[in-house]
Amino acid sequence: MISLLLMMLAAGAAADSVDRGISESLARERAAALSGVRYDLAFTIPADRQQPVEGTVRLRAILPNPRRIVIDFSAPKARIHSVRIGDASVSPVFVEDHLIIPAEATRAGENSIAIEFTAGDEALNRNDDFLYTLFVPARAHLTFPCFDQPDLKARYSLSLDVPAGWQTVANAPESARTEDAGRLRVRFAETKPLPTYLFGFVAGRFSVERATRNGREFRMFHRETDAAKVARNRDALFDLHAAALKWLEDYTAIPYPFEKLDFILIPSFQFGGMEHAGAILYNAASLMLDETATQNQLLNRASTISHETSHMWFGDLVTMQWFNDVWMKEVFANFMAEKIVNPSFPNVNHELRFFLANYPDAYSIDRTAGTNPIRQPLANLDDAGQLYGAIIYEKAPTVMRQLEMILGEQRFRDGLREYLKKYAYGNATWLDLIRILDAKTPENLAAWSRAWVEERGRPEFTVTLQRSKTNTIQRLTLTMRDPQGRTLVWPQRMRVSLGYSGAQKDLAVYANASRTVVKEAAGLPMPLFVLPGGGGLGYGLFLIDQQSATYLLANMAQIRDPLTRGAAWVTLWDNVLEGRVDAGALIDAALVALSAESDEQNTQRILGYVSNAYWRLLSQDQRLARAPALEAALRAGLGRAGTTSLKSAWFSAFRDDVLTPDGVAWLERVWRRDERIPGLTFAETDEIAMATELAVREVPNLQQILQMQLDRTENPDRKARFAFVMPALSADPQVRGQAFERFRSLDNRRREPWVLESMSYLNHPLREADSERFIRPSLELLTEIQRTGDIFFPGRWMDAALSGHRSPRAAAIVRDFLAQELEYPQRLRWTVLSSADGMFRAAALSAR
Ligand SMILES: [Zn+2]
C-alpha cells in the first residue's frame, strides 16, 4: 500500500502532463479507462452575436478505479467558471486544451462532473440570426468540455435557450419547450451513442418544410427567400432522402438507426454536407437548384444526399476508431451513393458517371508530388483535417470497386452487413473489415490493400505492340511501372480497348505484375488505337503512343461507346500534362468533337478540359489568337443544345472563357437583360456569376455593374457574400491588395466559401502578373489557416491562391518557399505540392 502511494506521488508530475490537442496516446488512455459516457448539455444563445454563448455540462463516465480524468476544452482557464463532482467543488489542473480532474477527486464507478463554462465561438459558425455547430474532426472541445475522440461514443441530452422566434434542431427529437420573456427553451431527447464529431445543433431564423414519405416524417430547414425556388425543389429533396433511406435499409438489412431525419440547408456552408446523425447539414446552393441546373448539378445533388444518408450507417452507426480510418466512412458513403443514385436517373450512363466522377479528381492529386496514401498514420487529431481530399473521396471508391470485383457483389454486401451488425453503435478499424472480407475470398486482401491503401501514388502504364509477319498482333504487353521507384505493383482488373474503323474490341486483363501479356490480343488485326484505360476501369497514368494520340484527336466522333470516349479524353488530358500531346491541338480537337458529342457528361468534361487548357496552358497572346474560334464554337453549341441543362453547360463555359470585345459585350447585354437566350431563365446566382466575370475582365463600367448587381440581389445571404467579394473584383490594384490583406485576420476568414471566391478572383489568370505579390503571403498564412480553418480549407486556399498562375516566376516563388522552410510540416508540404502541380507543369511547358 505504501509503495503504491509512493509510486503515485512520484508519478505526480507525469499525471499533469498531456499533449496539446488530442493525441493518439491520450485517446488510447481514455478509451481503455472510460465507459458509459453521457453529456447533459445546456447552451444559452444571446440574440447579439457579439455576446458569448454560455453553457453547462454534466459529464458522466464510469471508471474501473480512481484515476485522473483528462477533459478536452480549449483555453480552459479563462472560460471555465466552476467544476463540481457531486456536491464538492474541484480544482482541476488547467493545461492548454485540457482540464485534468485529479485522481483523488474521482472514484470507481460512475463519476458525475458538472462544469459551467463560456463556449468558444470557433466551431459555432455564428451569424446575425443563425448559428450551426461543425465539430468534425475534433472541434467540439472548442465549444464545450468533452472527450473529443471518435471512440468514446456518448449519449447527449441537450437543452437550448434561444431568442423567441428562432428554430432549433439537433440530433434527437424535441421533447419539451417553453417560451417566456422573449426566450425559447427547447429540450431534446437523449441521443443514441454518438462520437463528438457527429453531435450538433442548429438554431436561428429558418423556414421549415415538412413531408411524409414511406410513413416517416422528414423536415427541411432553409433560409431561401425565393418561394418559387423552394416550391420547385422541395419534393425532389424529400424524395431523394426517402429513396436513399429505403435503399440503404434494404442493402444493409438494418433499419434506419436513428429516431428521425431532418436536414438543414446552410447558406455558404463550408462543405457539401455534414452527416450529423439525424440532422444533416448541406450547402444550400447545391440542393436548392435554379432552373438553369445542369445534368451534372442534378446528379451531384442526388449523390450528395445519398452520400450523407449513407453515413447514417457508414460512419454514424459504425464509426472509425481513430481518424486515420476516416477514409472508410467517406469511401462507403461515396460508393453507396453511386449505387443509390442510379435508379433515379435511368437515362444516365452510370459507368461513365462513376468514371468521370472519380478518376479525374483522384488523378488531380495522385499525379502530383504532394499526393498521399488513402490510409495515413495520425498522431494527433489537430492534424486530422490534413487527411481529407480527393484521395479519400475519389480514389478510394475506385479501389473499393476493385475490392467488390474481387469478392463479387453479393459476398461484398454480406461482408458489409456482418461488419455493420457486429460493430453497431460502436467503432471499428479498416483491419476489422478486412478480416471479415478476407474470410470470404482466397485472394490475399492484406497484400492487395498494401499497395492501394497504405502507399501513395499511381502506376504508370505503357503498351508495347509487336506486329507479326501477317500484319496481326503478335504480342501486346502492358508494362506497369512505379514512378516513385519503390517497385510497387498495383494489382487490378483492367479493360484494354483496341480501336478499328467502325468497331472496337475490349479485352479483360488482370494486371498483377510489372509486365502483363494480353493473351487474347494475339492474332487480332493491328488496331488504329490502343487504350489501356478502356472501360473506365484501369487506374493509372496511361502513356499514350503517338499513333493512338493522333488517331483519337482526329477521330473521336467515330468511337461509338461514350465510356470509351470519356476514357480517351481523360487519357489525352493526362498526356497533355505530361507534355506528350499539345494543349492547342487538344483544344482544336475538342471543339470539333464537341459538335458531335452525344453524352452530356462527356460534353461537360470536354468543356472543362478546354477551359483548363485555355487558361492554364496558353499564354494570353495564344488565348487571344484562339478566342474568336473558341467563342464561336461555344455560341454554336449553346444554339444547338436541346435541353436547358446542356444550354446551361455551354453558356457557363462561354461566360467563363469569353475574351473578345464582341463576346464580352454580348455577355453584358445578357446580364443587363437586354438580350434573352431562348430556353434559359437566369436566376440570381446566374446573374451574380455573370457580373463577377464581367468585372474581372475590367469592362469600362465595372463598378456600376457591381453596384447594380448588389442592388439587384434580394436574398440577404447572397447579398452579404457578394458585398464581401466585391473588393476582390476592383480594377484598382490597391483595393485588391486590401482585399487580400483582410485575410490575415481570422475574423475575416470565418466564412470560408466567401474567402475562396475572393481569392480565385484576386488570382484570376487575367490578373496573373499583378497577383504574384499574393503568392508568398498566401503560403505564409497556410499554417495558421490549417490551425484555425475547417478541414477542406487549407487545400482549397492553396488551390485558389495558385489557380491563376503559370509563369516560371510564380513557380519559383513556391519552390523557394519550400526550400527555405525546412521544418515545414510534411502534410502541409504535400498540400502545397498538390496545389502547385498545375502551375509547375504549365511553367515547365511554357519554357519548352
Ligand atoms: Zn462524407
Side-chain angles (χ1 to χ4, degrees), residues 84 132 156 190 222 229 448 493 630 641 653 675 678 807 839:
R84 305 177 70 82
Y132 57 95
Y156 299 77
E190 189 179 60
H222 69 88
K229 188 166 173 172
W448 168 88
R493 280 147 180 81
L630 173 65
E675 187 139 1
S807 74
M839 177 183 72

Side-chain angles (χ1 to χ4, degrees), residues 273 275 307-308 311 329-330 333-334 393:
E275 68 268 22
H307 176 109
E308 303 306 336
H311 273 316
K329 72 181 180 74
E330 297 311 331
N334 263 2
Y393 284 96

Side-chain angles (χ1 to χ4, degrees), residues 720-784:
R721 175 174 174 152
F722 188 76
F724 183 89
V725 174
M726 266 173 68
L729 290 157
S730 169
D732 181 348
Q734 206 182 336
V735 175
R736 295 203 300 274
Q738 289 157 358
F740 179 82
E741 288 300 315
R742 286 183 298 180
F743 302 143
R744 293 186 185 278
S745 142
L746 173 59
D747 248 355
N748 292 323
R749 295 198 306 265
R750 291 206 196 276
R751 289 172 190 82
E752 293 173 0
W754 298 12
V755 175
L756 295 172
E757 189 179 347
S758 305
M759 280 292 280
S760 69
Y761 287 119
L762 285 172
N763 292 285
H764 191 279
L766 291 170
R767 306 234 195 265
E768 188 187 356
D770 173 61
S771 61
E772 261 173 32
R773 61 188 162 129
F774 303 137
I775 297 178
R776 193 168 173 107
S778 300
L779 288 160
E780 286 164 353
L781 270 171
L782 187 61
T783 39
E784 187 183 319

Side-chain angles (χ1 to χ4, degrees), residues 403 429-439 445-446 448-449:
L403 184 58
T429 68
W430 168 236
L431 301 177
D432 291 328
L433 174 62
I434 281 292
R435 259 194 295 277
I436 290 174
L437 296 178
D438 226 345
L445 293 186
W448 168 88
S449 158

Side-chain angles (χ1 to χ4, degrees), residues 47 198 254 367 451:
L198 290 173
I254 297 175
R367 73 163 67 92

Side-chain angles (χ1 to χ4, degrees), residues 636-656:
L638 175 60
R640 203 169 51 231
T643 61
T644 303
S645 158
L646 255 180
K647 277 186 188 299
S648 199
W650 285 98
F651 178 77
S652 306
F654 180 88
R655 178 197 67 206
D656 295 347

